[in-house]
C-alpha cells in the first residue's frame, strides 16, 4: 500500500472559550504526498497554527476535535492518547517553529538539546554515540564548527543558527513529515533565503514531505509544490503553485496576492479590508463574504462547496459556480483611483517632474556618527559618518538588516540621542530644539498609552504644542484626521487594547500628522503587521503623502514595500550608508554588493522566477 | 569581593539607621541603661552617668564610639538580663536558625511540589481546590494559627508539647527537641507555604506558555518529562531569587511564632526586650536580623545571577532600541 | 408558476451584493478576540474582566462586617467594655451568643466594637504608607541613576528587617499605645515595598515608547506626570494598597496579641486575642477562636478583592 504521508479529512476543531465555542478548523481536508512541499497560506488568526498543533497532537485542553480524521503514513492519529502520540512525535513527524529565539530552552546547551531529541526515542544509545550523531546532524543542517558550537547556549548563536539547531532536532529521527510553522518569519531576508534553500536541499536528499505554513507569498513561491489558501479555519483554494499564482479563483487568494507590491497595478495596492473573524460553531455562510467586494447573495446564506477548476486546482467560492456572473478582479473596484495629484516624485508622472535638488531641503544630515559604550572598554559604532538630505514632500527610505544602525539613526534625528559627531539640520534649525517631527514606531502597542482614549491620543500633540485655541477646534481636527486615516468615528472613546494592530497603527499615524509636521519618521511601521494589513497601512501612507506636503523618512527591511512607496532609497550596512539612489534606479541597477545581495535575497511572489533561483 | 563590600556597607548603614532611631527617639536614653533606676537618680548621678556612657557628645561621635566598641565585641549590657548583650544572644541564635532554617527549606520544598502539581493539573478540580484552600491558609495570621494548634494538640489532645525548645533538663535530647519543633515548624511552613507556592505556580504557568515547551513535546517528550526537565529547570533561577527576598518574611514569621510557643530564640528575646524597653538589646537584635537577611539576599541573588547569566544573554530594554540590542549582541 | 419564481429566486442568489457594511470581525457575531479586547478597555475596575469576575460574595461579606462595625450601636445593647466579674469565661449561650472573655466582657459586642478600630487602623496605616510610598517611589523613579540607587539601597536596608521587628522596634522606642499612634508606626514601617513597585513602574513607564514620544513632542514634566505616569502606575499599585490594608490589620493584631501594641482596654480583635494565654489555661476555646475567625474572614475577603484588582486573568492556554 502506498500511503500518503499525511491525509486529513473533514477535520473540525472547536475551542471552548468563555464566550462560546469557536471553530478553529472547519471541515478541513488536505493531503501531502511523499517528498512534496505543501504550503498553507493565510493571514494570522486564520487557524494555521491550530492546524499544526492538531497534526502534532499538541492541542491545548480547551480545544476539541469534533470530527474528521488525520492519518500519518496511513495510521489514524485522532484517537491516540497523549502517551501514544509522544512516541510518534519526533519519529514520524516533527516540527520547526516560528521564533528560534524562544523555541529553544535557554537553560540547556544546544548540543544537549539535540542529544535529548536523539535519546528520547532511543534510550540505549551511549552518550558518546549520541554526541557524535548530534554533531553529524549539526553538520547536515549547515552549522559550521559543530564541535565547538555543541556546548554553546542558545543565546550565543544568531537567529539563523538557532533555526538550524531546531531543524537538526527535528531531523534526528529522520521523520517522514516535517511541519514548518513560519520558520523564516523572524529572520532577516538573507538568512531566510539560506534556510529556505536548506529545507529544499533536505527535501531532495531525504525525500521528506514538508507542510510549510506561512503568510508570505514570496516565500511560498520559492519552496512550494502545491499551495493551500486558508481562511477562517477552512481551505478555500488549493492547487499547484503556478495555478494559484497565475489563476487565482477565490477572491481571498486574489486579495492576498494583490496586497503585495509586486502585483500593484497603476501604483495601487489592493488591500483586503478588515481582518479575519472568529467563527462561532454552527456558522453556515461564507466567512469571507463580509470582506469580499464581489460577494454574492448566496455567500451570505450558504457556505460554498469546492469547485474543480482543473484536476489539481479547486476553490471554494460561489464565483466558480457556472451560474455566477463572470468577474474580473480589481476592475470594478468601488474606490475611485486616487486623485491624480502629482507628488513631486511620482515616477511615471510624465508631466513636469521637478528635480530633487530644486525642492527645499528640510532635513540635512552631515557626517553623523554615533557610538554606544558597552562596558568600560568596548564600544560599538552604530552609525558611522552618515550624510544625506531629505527634501520637502519626498519619501526617503532607509533599508538594512537589523543591527545596521537604522533605528539609531532615526533616534538621532528625533533628538532622542544627542549626536556625538556631525550635524543634523532640520528646516535650517538645530535638531534638539525642534519638536515638530511626527513619529510612527514599529510597535504601535507600546507607542500608545494604554490608559488614554483614541481621542486623547490624537489630541496629545495638539495640546502640548497648543496648536488650537479651543477644545472644539481640536475635536474637529481629530474627526477630520480619523476620517483621513480610515478610523471609524465610533472608535473615538476606545482604548488601545480594544483596537486591532492595524487600527493602532492608524492612530499613531493620525497622531503623527496632527501636529502638522514637515517630516515624519516611520521606524519599521509595518514590521508587526500582517501582510494584508501592511498593504492597508502602506496605502494609507501613500494617500497621506498625496494629501499633505510632508516628507517621510521610512525605515524598513521589507524591500518590496519600499519600492512601492519611496522616492529615494538609502541602504545601510554596518552603520554606514553604502548607497543612495532614487527608488527606480536602485531596484533596477544596484551598485553596492550588499544592495545586490539584499535584493536577490528577497523572495518574489512568482513560482517561475523563484524556481530558477533555487540552488 | 564587590559583594563583600556591599554587605559591609549595608550592615554599617543598617547599624547607623538603627542607632539614630534609638537615640533620636523621644524619651530618656538613660532609661535604656538603667531602666527605672533613672527616676531615683540625683542630678549629679545623672550627669555622671551621661558622661560615662558618652551620651553628651554629638550623635555621630556617639555612633563612632559605639561602633568601635562593637568591633571589639562589646555591644553593651542588656538591662533586663544584666549581662553582655552578645552572651545572651549567642545562647539563643542557634535555636532561631534551627527553626527558621528548617522552616525555610521545608516551605520551599513543599511550595515547589505544590506549584508543580498545580501547574501540571492546571485548571482542573485539583488545581482549583488547592488554590482555594491555599488562599485561606495564607490569610491566617501566624500567631492565631499557633494558638489554634496549641489549643488542639497541646490543650485538648495533649499530643505535643506546646512551649519551649526542649523538656525541662533535657536540652541534649534530640527526641525532645524534635517533638518541641513539630508545632512551631508546622506553623512556619503552613503560614508561608501558599504565598510562595502560588508565586511559583504562576511563574511555572508562565514557563509552560513558552515555545520551548512545544519544541520539547514535538521531540516526543511526555508532559511529565517536559515539566521536570525543562519548566522546573527554567524556574530555578527565579525560585532562588524569590527565596533570597523571602528570608526576611520567614524570619519575621519565625519571631512571632517563637514568642507564641515561648521558644527560646532571638525572636522571643526581641519581643521581650521591646516589652521591657531593653533598647540596647533590641538594637543589636535588629542589626543581627538585618545581617542574616542581607547576607542571605546577596548570596541568593548571586547564585541566581550566576546560574542565569551562564544561560541567558543579558537582557536589554525597550523595543525602540532594536538596533542597539543587536549591536551589543554582536559585539 | 411556482417553479418560475423558484428559478428567479435561485438566479437572484447569484447577484453580487458586495462586502458586508462593516468588515469581517464586526459582521460575524462578536466572539472571543473582539469581545475579549473590549473587556480590558474600561480599565481595571470594569466588571467581568478576563479570568476572575468581581468577587461578589467576598465584597458582600466585607460590607456586612464593615456596616456591622460602624453601626454596632444599633444592635449591640450592652456596653462592650463592661466587665461582669461574676460572668467570666462563660461559654457561648443564649444570653452571651459568643460567650464572655476572661474579664467577663461579652464577646459578641466586643467583636463589633473592636472590629471598628481594627479596620480603622488598617485603613489609616495604609493611607500613611501609600502617601509616603508614592512620593518616595516617584521621586526615586524620576531621579538620576545615583540618587535612585541610593534611595533604593535605603529601602532595601529597611526591608532587610522583618516588618514586625521594625514595628516592634519603633513601638518600643517612640511608641504610644493608642490607635492613632500605632497606625502611624505601622504606616511608616510599611511603605517600602509599595515604594519599590511605584519606582519600578515609574521607571518602566518613563522609558516606555509613549512617554518618549510625548517628551519628543515637547510634553512637559507635569504633562507626562499627569497624563501618563499617574494613571498608569495607580492601577498597578491598587493591588499592593489593598494587600497593605491586610498586612496592617495583621500587624496590629499581632502586636496587641503580644502585649506590645494596644492594651486590653482599647478593644480591637488583636487586643481581645491578647487574653488567649489565660484562655488556653482554662480551655476557653471561644475566646481564641471567635475573634480569630472574624479576623481571618475579613482578611480573606480583602485578599480576594486584592486578587481581583491584580487581575492576572486572561492567560492564554498553556503549551504543556
Amino acid at each position: 500500500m502506498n500511503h500518503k504521508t499525511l491525509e486529513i479529512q473533514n477535520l473540525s476543531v472547536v475551542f471552548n472559550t468563555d464566550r462560546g465555542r469557536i471553530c478553529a478548523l472547519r471541515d478541513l481536508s488536505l493531503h501531502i504526498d511523499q517528498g512534496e512541499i505543501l504550503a498553507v497560506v493565510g493571514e494570522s488568526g486564520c487557524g494555521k497554527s491550530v492546524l499544526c498543533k492538531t497534526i502534532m497532537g499538541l492541542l491545548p485542553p480547551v480545544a476539541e476535535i469534533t470530527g474528521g480524521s488525520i492519518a500519518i503514513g496511513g495510521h489514524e492519529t485522532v484517537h491516540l492518547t497523549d502517551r501514544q502520540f509522544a512516541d510518534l512525535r519526533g519519529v514520524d513527524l516533527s516540527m520547526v517553529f516560528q521564533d528560534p529565539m524562544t523555541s529553544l530552552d535557554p537553560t540547556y546547551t544546544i548540543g544537549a538539546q539535540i542529544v535529548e531529541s536523539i535519546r528520547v526515542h532511543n534510550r540505549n544509545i551511549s552518550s558518546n554515540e549520541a554526541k557524535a550523531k548530534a554533531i553529524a546532524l549539526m553538520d547536515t543542517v549547515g552549522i559550521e564548527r559543530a564541535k565547538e558550537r555543541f556546548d554553546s547556549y542558545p543565546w550565543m548563536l544568531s537567529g539563523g543558527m538557532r533555526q538550524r539547531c531546531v531543524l537538526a532536532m527535528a531531523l534526528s529521527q529522520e521523520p517522514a513529515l516535517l511541519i514548518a510553522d513560519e520558520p523564516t518569519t523572524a529572520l532577516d531576508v538573507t538568512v531566510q533565503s539560506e534556510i529556505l534553500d536548506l529545507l529544499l536541499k533536505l527535501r531532495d536528499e531525504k525525500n521528506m514531505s514538508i507542510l510549510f505554513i506561512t503568510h508570505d507569498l514570496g516565500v511560498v513561491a520559492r519552496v512550494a509544490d502545491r499551495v493551500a489558501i486558508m481562511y477562517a479555519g477552512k481551505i478555500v483554494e488549493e492547487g499547484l503553485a503556478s495555478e494559484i499564482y497565475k489563476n487565482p479563483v477565490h477572491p481571498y487568494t486574489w486579495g492576498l496576492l494583490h496586497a503585495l507590491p509586486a502585483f500593484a497595478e497603476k501604483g495601487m495596492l489592493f488591500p483586503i479590508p478588515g481582518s479575519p473573524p472568529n467563527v462561532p460553531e454552527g456558522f453556515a455562510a461564507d466567512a469571507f463574504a463580509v470582506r469580499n467586494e464581489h460577494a454574492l447573495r448566496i455567500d451570505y446564506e450558504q457556505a460554498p462547496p469546492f469547485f474543480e477548476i482543473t484536476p489539481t486546482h479547486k476553490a471554494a467560492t460561489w464565483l466558480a459556480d457556472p451560474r455566477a456572473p463572470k468577474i474580473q478582479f480589481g476592475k470594478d473596484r468601488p474606490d475611485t483611483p486616487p486623485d491624480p495629484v502629482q507628488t513631486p516624485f511620482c515616477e511615471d508622472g510624465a508631466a513636469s517632474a521637478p528635480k530633487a535638488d530644486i525642492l527645499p531641503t528640510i532635513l540635512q544630515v552631515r557626517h553623523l556618527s554615533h557610538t554606544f559604550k558597552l562596558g568600560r572598554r568596548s564600544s560599538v559604532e552604530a552609525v558611522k559618518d552618515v550624510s544625506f538630505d531629505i527634501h520637502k514632500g519626498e519619501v526617503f527610505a532607509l533599508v538594512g538588516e537589523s543591527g545596521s544602525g537604522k533605528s539609531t539613526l532615526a533616534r538621532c534625528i528625533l533628538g532622542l540621542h544627542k549626536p556625538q559627531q556631525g550635524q543634523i539640520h532640520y528646516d535650517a534649525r538645530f535638531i534638539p530644539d525642534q519638536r515638530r517631527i511626527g513619529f510612527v514606531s514599529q510597535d504601535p502597542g507600546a507607542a500608545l498609552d494604554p490608559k488614554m482614549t483614541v481621542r486623547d491620543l490624537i489630541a496629545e500633540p495638539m495640546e502640548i504644542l497648543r496648536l488650537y485655541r479651543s477644545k472644539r477646534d481640536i475635536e474637529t481636527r481629530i474627526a477630520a484626521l480619523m476620517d483621513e486615516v480610515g478610523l471609524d468615528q465610533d472608535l473615538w472613546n476606545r482604548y488601545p487594547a480594544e483596537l486591532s494592530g492595524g487600527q493602532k497603527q492608524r492612530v499613531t499615524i493620525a497622531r503623527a500628522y496632527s501636529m502638522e509636521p514637515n517630516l515624519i519618521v516611520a521606524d519599521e511601521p509595518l514590521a508587526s503587521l500582517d501582510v494584508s494589513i501592511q498593504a492597508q497601512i502602506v496605502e494609507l501612507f501613500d494617500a497621506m503623502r498625496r494629501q499633505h506636503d510632508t516628507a517621510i523618512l521610512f525605515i524598513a527591511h521589507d524591500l518590496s514595500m519600499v519600492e512601492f512607496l519611496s522616492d529615494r532609497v538609502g541602504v545601510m550596512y554596518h552603520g554606514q550608508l553604502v548607497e543612495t539612489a532614487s527608488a527606480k534606479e536602485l531596484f533596477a541597477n544596484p551598485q553596492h554588493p550588499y544592495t545586490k545581495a539584499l535584493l536577490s535575497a528577497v523572495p518574489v511572489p512568482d513560482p517561475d522566477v523563484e524556481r530558477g533561483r533555487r540552488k | 569581593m564587590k559583594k563583600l563590600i556591599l554587605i559591609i556597607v549595608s550592615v554599617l548603614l543598617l547599624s547607623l539607621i538603627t542607632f539614630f532611631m534609638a537615640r533620636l527617639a523621644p524619651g530618656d536614653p538613660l532609661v535604656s541603661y538603667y531602666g527605672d533606676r533613672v527616676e531615683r537618680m540625683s542630678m549629679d548621678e545623672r550627669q555622671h552617668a551621661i558622661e560615662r556612657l558618652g551620651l553628651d557628645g554629638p550623635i555621630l561621635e556617639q555612633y563612632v564610639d559605639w561602633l568601635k566598641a562593637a568591633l571589639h565585641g562589646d555591644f553593651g549590657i542588656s538591662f533586663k538580663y544584666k549581662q553582655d548583650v552578645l552572651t545572651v544572644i549567642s545562647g539563643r541564635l542557634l535555636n532561631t536558625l534551627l527553626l527558621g532554617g528548617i522552616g525555610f527549606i521545608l516551605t520551599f520544598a513543599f511550595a515547589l511540589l505544590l506549584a508543580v502539581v498545580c501547574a501540571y493539573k492546571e485548571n482542573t478540580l485539583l488545581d482549583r481546590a488547592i488554590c482555594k484552600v491555599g488562599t485561606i491558609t495564607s490569610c491566617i495570621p501566624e500567631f492565631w494559627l499557633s494558638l489554634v494548634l496549641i489549643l488542639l494538640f497541646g490543650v485538648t489532645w495533649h499530643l505535643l508539647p506546646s512551649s519551649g525548645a526542649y523538656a525541662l533538663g533535657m536540652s541534649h535530647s534530640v527526641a525532645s527537641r524534635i517533638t518541641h519543633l513539630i508545632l512551631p515548624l508546622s506553623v512556619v511552613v503552613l503560614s508561608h507555604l501558599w504565598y510562595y507556592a502560588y508565586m511559583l505556580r504562576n511563574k511555572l504557568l508562565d514557563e509552560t506558555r513558552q515555545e520551548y515547551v512545544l519544541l520539547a513535546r514535538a521531540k516526543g517528550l511526555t508532559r511529565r518529562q517536559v515539566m521536570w526537565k525543562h519548566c522546573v529547570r527554567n524556574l530555578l533561577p527565579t525560585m532562588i531569587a524569590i527565596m533570597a527576598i523571602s528570608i526576611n518574611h520567614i524570619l519575621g514569621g519565625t519571631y512571632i511564632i517563637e514568642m507564641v510557643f515561648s521558644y527560646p530564640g532571638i525572636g522571643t528575646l526581641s519581643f521581650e526586650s521591646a516589652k521591657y524597653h531593653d533598647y540596647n538589646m533590641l538594637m543589636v537584635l535588629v542589626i543581627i536580623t538585618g545581617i542574616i537577611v542581607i547576607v542571605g539576599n546577596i548570596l541568593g541573588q548571586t547564585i541566581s545571577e550566576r546560574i542565569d547569566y551562564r544561560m541567558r544573554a543579558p537582557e536589554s530594554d525597550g523595543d525602540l532600541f532594536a538596533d542597539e540590542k543587536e549591536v551589543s549582541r554582536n559585539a | 408558476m411556482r417553479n418560475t419564481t423558484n428559478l428567479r429566486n435561485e438566479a437572484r442568489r447569484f447577484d453580487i451584493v458586495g462586502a458586508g457594511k462593516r468588515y469581517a470581525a464586526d459582521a460575524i457575531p462578536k466572539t472571543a478576540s473582539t469581545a475579549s479586547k473590549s473587556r480590558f478597555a474600561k480599565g481595571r475596575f470594569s466588571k467581568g474582566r478576563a479570568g476572575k469576575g468581581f468577587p461578589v460574595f467576598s465584597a458582600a461579606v466585607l460590607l456586612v462586617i464593615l456596616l456591622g462595625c460602624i453601626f454596632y450601636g444599633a444592635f449591640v445593647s450592652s456596653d462592650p467594655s463592661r466587665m461582669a466579674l461574676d460572668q467570666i469565661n462563660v461559654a457561648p449561650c443564649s444570653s452571651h451568643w459568643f460567650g464572655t472573655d476572661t474579664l467577663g466582657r461579652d464577646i459578641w459586642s466586643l467583636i463589633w466594637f473592636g472590629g471598628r478600630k481594627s479596620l480603622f487602623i488598617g485603613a489609616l496605616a495604609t493611607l500613611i504608607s501609600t502617601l509616603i510610598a508614592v512620593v518616595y517611589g516617584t521621586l526615586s523613579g524620576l531621579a538620576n541613576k545615583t540618587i535612585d540607587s541610593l534611595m533604593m539601597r535605603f529601602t532595601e536596608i529597611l526591608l532587610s528587617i522583618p516588618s514586625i521587628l521594625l514595628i516592634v522596634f519603633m513601638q518600643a522606642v517612640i511608641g504610644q499605645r493608642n490607635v492613632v499612634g500605632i497606625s502611624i508606626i505601622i504606616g511608616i514601617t510599611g511603605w517600602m515595598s509599595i515604594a519599590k513597585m511605584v519606582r519600578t513602574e515609574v521607571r518602566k513607564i518613563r522609558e516606555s515608547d509613549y512617554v518618549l514620544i510625548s517628551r519628543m513632542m515637547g510634553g512637559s514634566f507635569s504633562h507626562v506626570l499627569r497624563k501618563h505616569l499617574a494613571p498608569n502606575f495607580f492601577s498597578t499599585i491598587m493591588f499592593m494598597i489593598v494587600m497593605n490594608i491586610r498586612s496592617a490589620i495583621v500587624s496590629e493584631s499581632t502586636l496587641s496579641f503580644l502585649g506590645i501594641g494596644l492594651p486590653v482596654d482599647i478593644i480591637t480583635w488583636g487586643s481581645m486575642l491578647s487574653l488567649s494565654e489565660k484562655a488556653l489555661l482554662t480551655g476557653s476555646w471561644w475566646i481564641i477562636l471567635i475573634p480569630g475567625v472574624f479576623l481571618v474572614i475579613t482578611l480573606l475577603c480583602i485578599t480576594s478583592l486584592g486578587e481581583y484588582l491584580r487581575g492576572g486573568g486572561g492567560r492564554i492556554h498553556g503549551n504543556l
Side-chain angles (χ1 to χ4, degrees), chain C:
Chain C
M1 200 54 202
R2 181 163 289 175
N3 260 346
T4 45
T5 25
N6 267 354
L7 272 178
R8 200 175 299 148
N9 279 343
E10 193 57 34
R12 280 194 59 215
R13 295 177 74 192
F14 287 90
D15 288 351
I16 298 179
V17 290
K21 253 234 161 95
R22 298 251 190 87
Y23 295 125
D26 305 318
I28 285 177
K30 281 225 166 169
T31 44
S33 80
T34 47
S36 69
K37 273 172 193 156
S38 57
R39 269 172 306 99
F40 286 101
K42 305 288 178 301
R44 304 203 130 238
F45 301 99
S46 67
K47 278 181 194 167
R49 291 167 324 118
K52 294 162 194 137
F54 184 77
V56 183
F57 184 72
S58 297
V61 172
L62 196 61
L63 195 70
V64 168
I65 292 178
L66 213 61
L67 291 178
C69 290
I70 294 171
F71 301 108
Y72 74 98
F75 58 95
V76 175
S77 46
S78 57
D79 175 14
S81 52
R82 193 177 71 93
M83 300 182 199
L85 292 175
D86 53 333
Q87 284 185 327
I88 57 171
N89 286 344
V90 176
C93 60
S94 58
S95 58
H96 298 286
W97 291 358
F98 286 173
T100 61
D101 66 7
T102 52
L103 300 174
R105 300 178 297 183
D106 177 44
I107 292 181
W108 167 250
S109 26
L110 287 176
I111 288 281
W112 299 109
F113 189 70
R116 198 184 197 184
K117 289 205 173 91
S118 285
L119 295 175
F120 175 76
I121 290 170
L124 182 61
T126 303
L127 188 70
I128 296 169
S129 308
T130 310
L131 279 179
I132 302 176
V134 168
V135 172
Y136 191 93
T138 314
L139 282 180
S140 179
L142 294 174
N144 66 33
K145 244 184 184 157
T146 328
I147 295 177
D148 174 52
S149 63
L150 268 177
M151 287 176 87
M152 279 303 113
R153 177 76 24 217
F154 179 68
T155 54
E156 260 152 42
I157 287 170
L158 287 185
L159 270 176
S160 71
I161 311 164
S163 66
I164 190 73
L165 189 61
L166 199 59
I167 294 171
V168 165
F169 182 56
M170 299 287 287
Q171 174 72 357
V173 175
I174 52 174
Q176 291 160 334
R177 301 183 65 168
N178 61 48
V179 170
V180 176
I182 222 150
S183 307
I184 292 175
I185 283 183
I186 295 174
I188 59 175
T189 50
W191 53 269
M192 286 85 74
S193 44
I194 305 183
K196 271 182 96 165
M197 187 149 184
V198 171
R199 177 248 172 206
T200 319
E201 280 300 308
V202 168
R203 288 248 143 199
K204 204 171 86 195
I205 298 166
R206 165 187 139 145
E207 273 152 29
S208 70
D209 285 5
Y210 56 82
V211 169
L212 275 183
I213 290 168
S214 179
R215 300 202 66 130
M216 218 167 63
M217 294 183 296
S220 63
F221 173 74
S222 80
H223 169 88
V224 172
L225 189 68
R226 255 181 318 116
K227 289 269 178 171
H228 299 294
L229 282 180
N232 276 294
F233 79 65
F234 256 109
S235 65
T236 327
I237 64 167
M238 263 322 281
F239 158 75
M240 297 279 288
I241 293 174
V242 171
M243 286 314 193
N244 198 284
I245 299 180
R246 174 181 126 172
S247 58
I249 294 176
V250 172
S251 296
E252 181 274 320
S253 59
T254 306
L255 223 54
S256 303
F257 163 77
L258 293 173
I260 308 167
L262 298 171
V264 181
D265 53 320
I266 301 181
I267 300 160
T268 64
W269 292 338
S271 70
M272 287 167 72
L273 283 166
S274 67
L275 298 172
S276 42
E277 222 158 316
K278 283 181 206 156
L280 278 179
L281 292 176
T282 55
S284 324
W285 53 268
W286 56 93
I287 300 178
I288 298 170
L289 286 190
I290 289 168
V293 166
F294 266 80
L295 184 63
V296 172
I297 288 176
T298 310
L299 298 178
L300 202 57
C301 294
I302 295 177
T303 309
S304 56
L305 277 178
E307 289 288 334
Y308 165 72
L309 286 175
R310 172 155 70 175
R315 252 203 190 89
I316 49 159
H317 36 254
N319 290 331
L320 192 67

Side-chain angles (χ1 to χ4, degrees), chain A residues 265-277:
Chain A
E265 286 166 21
K266 290 180 224 131
M268 278 179 68
L269 291 175
F270 296 86
I272 308 168
S275 49

Side-chain angles (χ1 to χ4, degrees), chain A residues 104-213:
Chain A
L104 288 166
D105 185 336
T107 64
Y108 287 95
T109 61
I110 53 158
Q113 295 187 55
I114 299 174
V115 166
E116 185 183 37
S117 67
I118 296 169
R119 299 191 91 169
V120 184
H121 300 286
N122 202 349
R123 300 236 163 88
N124 304 323
I125 196 167
S126 77
S127 59
N128 279 338
E129 275 176 89
K131 184 173 176 178
K133 198 175 169 203
I135 290 174
L137 275 170
M138 287 165 79
D139 280 332
T140 321
V141 295
I143 298 174
E144 291 159 23
R145 293 183 288 137
K147 262 191 193 132
E148 294 166 41
R149 294 226 162 105
F150 186 84
D151 289 320
S152 316
Y153 282 94
W155 63 269
M156 299 169 175
L157 303 178
S158 68
M161 276 302 160
R162 278 184 247 188
Q163 199 60 296
R164 286 171 199 267
C165 293
V166 178
L167 208 49
M169 286 172 222
L171 295 176
S172 64
Q173 311 288 333
E174 310 227 330
L177 172 67
L178 179 71
I179 299 173
D181 185 4
E182 309 240 9
T184 58
T185 310
L187 305 173
D188 271 325
V189 210
T190 46
V191 183
Q192 162 172 306
S193 125
E194 286 168 25
I195 297 283
L196 293 179
D197 286 337
L198 177 61
L199 281 173
L200 284 167
K201 192 188 94 180
L202 289 170
R203 189 269 301 260
D204 294 342
E205 283 173 6
K206 310 203 187 261
N207 201 20
M208 209 166 45
S209 310
I210 301 179
L211 176 65
F212 196 100
I213 308 270

Side-chain angles (χ1 to χ4, degrees), chain A residues 47-68:
Chain A
K48 291 173 296 176
S49 290
V50 177
L51 176 62
C52 294
K53 286 187 185 168
T54 316
I55 300 171
M56 290 298 291
L58 293 175
L59 282 176
V62 290
E64 182 189 328
I65 298 176
T66 52

